[in-house]
Every structure is written in C-alpha cells, then in structure tokens.
Amino acid sequence: MKLYLLNLALPIILLSGCSNSNSDAANGFELKGKLGNAHNDTLFLEQMATDGLKKIDTAILDENGEFTMNPSITEIGFYRLKTTDRNFATLIFDIDQKVSITGDVADLGNTYRVEGSEDSKLFWEVNQRSAENYKKRDSLQKIFQAFVNITKMDSLRIDSMSNALEKPYTELVESHNQYLKAFIEKNSSSFASLAAIQQLQPEEFMETYFKLDDGLFTKYPNSAYIKAFHDGITKSRKLAVGTLAPEINMNTPDEKPLALSSLKGKVVLIDFWASWCGPCRAENPNVVKAYNKYKAKGFDIFSVSLDKDMEKWKGAIRADGLTWQNHVCDFKFWQSPVVALYNFNSIPTNVLIDKEGKIIAKNLRGEALDKKLEEVFK
C-alpha cells in the first residue's frame, strides 16, 4: 500500500556530513536503538530532500542489535532510517534531541517505535491510522473484484454490487478525512501534520491548509521546509474560492489575442489541457457534454492548452469536438506563465469562475462538473 505521506515537494537545505562517529553527544543530536533479528545489519540514516535522499550517517548493529548515531542535525526535518529502500522507518528529528528506537530490523516500517521525538510519535500515529483505513478500502475493492470474477455478473448486477459497496467505501474516506482534519488542527505546529495534510484534497480542505500554514510559519519562520510550504499556501490563497481569477491573454488558433476578461458576464470554465495529454483527452467528452447542456444558460469555456505544436493542437480541437470559440495557447509547454499563475503541476485541471470573474470552484471533473453547474444555474 502506498500512502501519500512524505511526498514533499519542498526545497530543503541539505545537511552536510556522513559519519559513524562515537563522539560525545552530550550537546548534540543522538539516535540510539535496539532492533530484533539483527545479524550485523548496516543501517543508513537519510535526509528526505526533493532532489533525492541524502545519506548523513551509517551504523552497524552489534551482536545485541544495538547501535548509536551522532549525525549533525542543524534544523528540524524529515529523515528515514533504513536497511534497504523497501525497509525503512520515517522519522522527524530536531536539534539536540536524544532519540531511541526499537523494532524488528527485518520489518522497520511496521514494527518501529520511537521515544524522544514527539513529532516522530505523532507521525507514527497518523501513519498507522492511515494504513488501517486504506487496508479497509482495499478490502472492499477486492470483495467487489472477487464477485465480478467468480460470478461473471452482467453489467446491471455489477452496477448494483458497486452501488452497495459505494456507501461503506465513501464512509471510510470521509471518516479518515475528518480524522486527518482534526489531527492537523490539533497539531497545527507539528511537522507530522505537514506530512498528514498531503492526504487531504486542497479544494475541499483549504481552510485546514491555511490553519496549518499559520501554525507552522509562526513556530518555524526560518525553516526551509516551512518556507516552501508557506510559499505554496500563499499562492493558493491568491486562487482561493471568492478571489478574482488572474487574467490570461494568449493567441487563438487564428493567432489573434484573446483575454479571459473578454468573457465577463458569463460563467466560465478555465480548462487547462493539451493534445498530448491522455487524461485530458479522456475528460474532454465530459467537458463537451457540460458545454452543450449549459451554454444556452450563459456557460462558456476558456480552453488553455500547454501544446507545443499548432497543428496537433488544432487537430485535437477538431477531433474531440471542442466547438466553443475560446481556445488559446502560447506553445511554451510547462514553461507557460499560466502554470505558475494558476499554481498547478498536472493536467487536466480547471477553474470555474462566475459572471464577475471570481473563482467559485476548482478541479471539477466528470459528474462533479455537471453537479456544480446544475447548482449554479438552478
């Protein structure tokens, strides 16, 4: 099971030094441990950084499974203790802490326990709860697949089975989201919450993101991790629901400039896509359906492409039946200024704005788009 924890897109100050020192740690960081099933295993301590995992210390377990590390820890941050890339424990360390760890060296991720680092204990708590919840979701999916494989059900019975399992699955998702929300708001100045929040969709829990940013930036204003998180949240605040959508002005397929503001007075979906993007092309039928259903009520689409080739862009517009007139592109691919302006790193993505140009929703796909437009135009 792969959780979203610690997939941190944060620039980090790298810590120098790689040693197996036994020097006096009275005034510095110390990590001690005793691990079961030890056989002269080598442990590696790594810092988690966006440009790769950085080894900062090593130790060999003695005949009793014990070890000591004294790396230079200069600021609070994320680390992992491992024997291999598949067998590790994620930890949060701060300056001058005296940390101890126990567990089974052959299964660190599932057996480790830590003392001396409150943030590490909080991270362990939220990771355990997450693993339990995801395991239950996985079980429901396996039940459904087993019924399909064994009974060779027709489409009507498959839909019925799917609907029966949808409620408990949704309840699992919602209950875990609420647990995460409460955990983060209770621990709004903990690095563990910085990891936990990655499981929550920003569009639905943006206020929780804001509260965490306030708590962490107040406590750790000089942390490289927190500065990066704060920068991202600052950009998100500028694109929060209720704010004016930033202006976009690019050329149409006829090479004439077209501004987003020219559509003021309509409800507009700003749709970021590209001809080379498979998921975008798969989503286009839903966008076309929404356009045809609501265009007479004052709905329009402003399609912004990240294409690099004029003819491929035009061809995709024709092939997918994107019949609205508002298509623009600057052919700068991911270097287009709109990427930073609208703070996204994947497509398809979209922003729905009202007649005044204010953001009313983001990332509406499939039925979610139709449901929101039905609400807007009721």
Side-chain angles (χ1 to χ4, degrees):
M1 180 182 305
K2 181 181 179 181
L3 301 184
Y4 299 114
L5 301 182
L6 284 177
N7 183 22
L8 298 175
L10 305 175
I12 298 167
I13 296 175
L14 302 183
L15 306 181
S16 60
C18 179
S19 68
N20 189 17
S21 171
N22 290 315
S23 61
D24 182 10
N27 296 313
F29 178 87
E30 181 180 74
L31 174 63
K32 288 186 174 182
K34 184 171 184 178
L35 303 175
N37 290 320
H39 302 285
N40 295 318
D41 305 82
T42 300
L43 294 176
F44 303 92
L45 183 64
E46 299 174 324
Q47 181 195 14
M48 304 184 78
T50 53
D51 59 345
L53 293 163
K54 307 298 179 180
K55 186 174 73 173
I56 61 170
D57 211 343
T58 61
I60 298 175
L61 296 178
D62 66 18
E63 63 275 11
N64 297 315
E66 297 181 350
F67 74 95
T68 299
M69 291 181 177
N70 302 121
S72 175
I73 303 295
T74 59
E75 70 165 343
I76 188 170
F78 293 95
Y79 300 84
R80 73 175 192 173
L81 185 68
K82 74 171 191 178
T83 58
T84 69
D85 287 339
R86 296 177 63 86
N87 181 36
F88 61 89
T90 301
L91 303 157
I92 302 171
F93 293 150
D94 202 353
I95 301 169
D96 294 341
Q97 285 183 328
K98 303 294 183 283
V99 182
S100 63
I101 187 169
T102 58
D104 187 326
V105 71
D107 189 17
L108 282 173
N110 291 315
T111 65
Y112 83 95
R113 298 293 186 274
V114 62
E115 296 293 336
S117 167
E118 187 61 28
D119 279 316
S120 291
K121 293 176 74 172
L122 287 171
F123 177 88
W124 180 90
E125 174 195 324
V126 75
N127 209 30
Q128 289 295 114
R129 285 288 293 267
S130 298
E132 291 169 6
N133 189 277
Y134 278 70
K135 185 177 181 179
K136 291 176 182 177
R137 295 187 212 179
D138 188 53
S139 294
L140 288 175
Q141 292 175 329
K142 287 180 178 178
I143 290 171
F144 174 72
Q145 192 60 52
F147 270 95
V148 172
N149 293 340
I150 294 172
T151 63
K152 296 183 172 26
M153 293 185 288
D154 57 36
S155 60
L156 185 62
R157 293 175 64 196
I158 289 175
D159 288 343
S160 177
M161 184 67 179
S162 178
N163 291 335
L165 293 176
E166 182 178 3
K167 182 178 179 181
Y169 188 90
T170 301
E171 287 175 350
L172 282 172
V173 173
E174 291 179 350
S175 66
H176 191 54
N177 284 347
Q178 291 308 311
Y179 161 75
L180 290 168
K181 181 176 182 290
F183 175 92
I184 292 164
E185 293 182 359
K186 179 182 178 181
N187 302 286
S188 62
S189 60
S190 170
F191 266 58
S193 293
L194 186 61
I197 202 164
Q198 293 175 72
Q199 295 183 74
L200 293 179
Q201 293 296 325
E203 293 77 21
E204 186 177 352
F205 294 95
M206 187 53 70
E207 286 301 318
T208 303
Y209 275 78
F210 291 162
K211 289 179 182 179
L212 180 58
D213 177 52
D214 291 339
L216 287 171
F217 195 67
T218 297
K219 186 173 182 179
Y220 301 106
N222 298 316
S223 165
Y225 292 84
I226 305 310
K227 284 180 180 178
F229 182 69
H230 179 69
D231 288 346
I233 295 301
T234 299
K235 293 177 182 177
S236 295
R237 287 182 191 268
K238 293 178 181 178
L239 294 168
V241 170
T243 61
L244 284 172
E247 178 69 292
I248 300 173
N249 198 327
M250 294 182 183
N251 284 351
T252 67
D254 296 329
E255 300 187 34
K256 296 179 180 179
L258 179 66
L260 173 62
S261 56
S262 68
L263 298 181
K264 188 173 182 179
K266 293 184 176 182
V267 174
V268 178
L269 183 73
I270 309 169
D271 188 34
F272 299 98
W273 76 296
S275 67
W276 47 261
C277 169
C280 301
R281 305 294 294 274
E283 181 64 17
N284 275 345
N286 294 320
V287 181
V288 171
K289 181 180 177 181
Y291 176 71
N292 290 332
K293 184 175 180 179
Y294 294 102
K295 63 181 179 180
K297 297 184 178 182
F299 175 61
D300 213 336
I301 298 174
F302 190 84
S303 291
V304 183
S305 173
L306 297 189
D307 266 285
K308 298 183 288 184
D309 183 279
M310 171 74 84
E311 293 308 313
K312 289 181 179 179
W313 174 43
K314 289 181 178 180
I317 292 172
R318 290 192 299 269
D320 292 2
L322 311 184
T323 58
W324 49 92
Q325 299 300 308
N326 316 303
H327 292 276
V328 297
C329 184
D330 61 8
F331 302 102
K332 295 180 180 179
F333 195 45
W334 285 107
Q335 285 68 50
S336 173
V338 298
V339 174
L341 188 64
Y342 277 80
N343 194 32
F344 62 90
N345 55 23
S346 66
I347 51 175
T349 191
N350 58 51
V351 175
L352 186 67
I353 61 176
D354 65 13
K355 295 178 181 180
E356 300 301 318
K358 292 182 179 179
I359 297 171
I360 53 179
K362 293 187 284 187
N363 291 328
L364 299 168
R365 298 176 67 176
E367 292 182 5
L369 175 58
D370 183 75
K371 184 177 179 180
K372 185 62 179 182
L373 291 173
E374 183 178 5
E375 175 188 317
V376 169
F377 291 111
K378 66 180 179 181

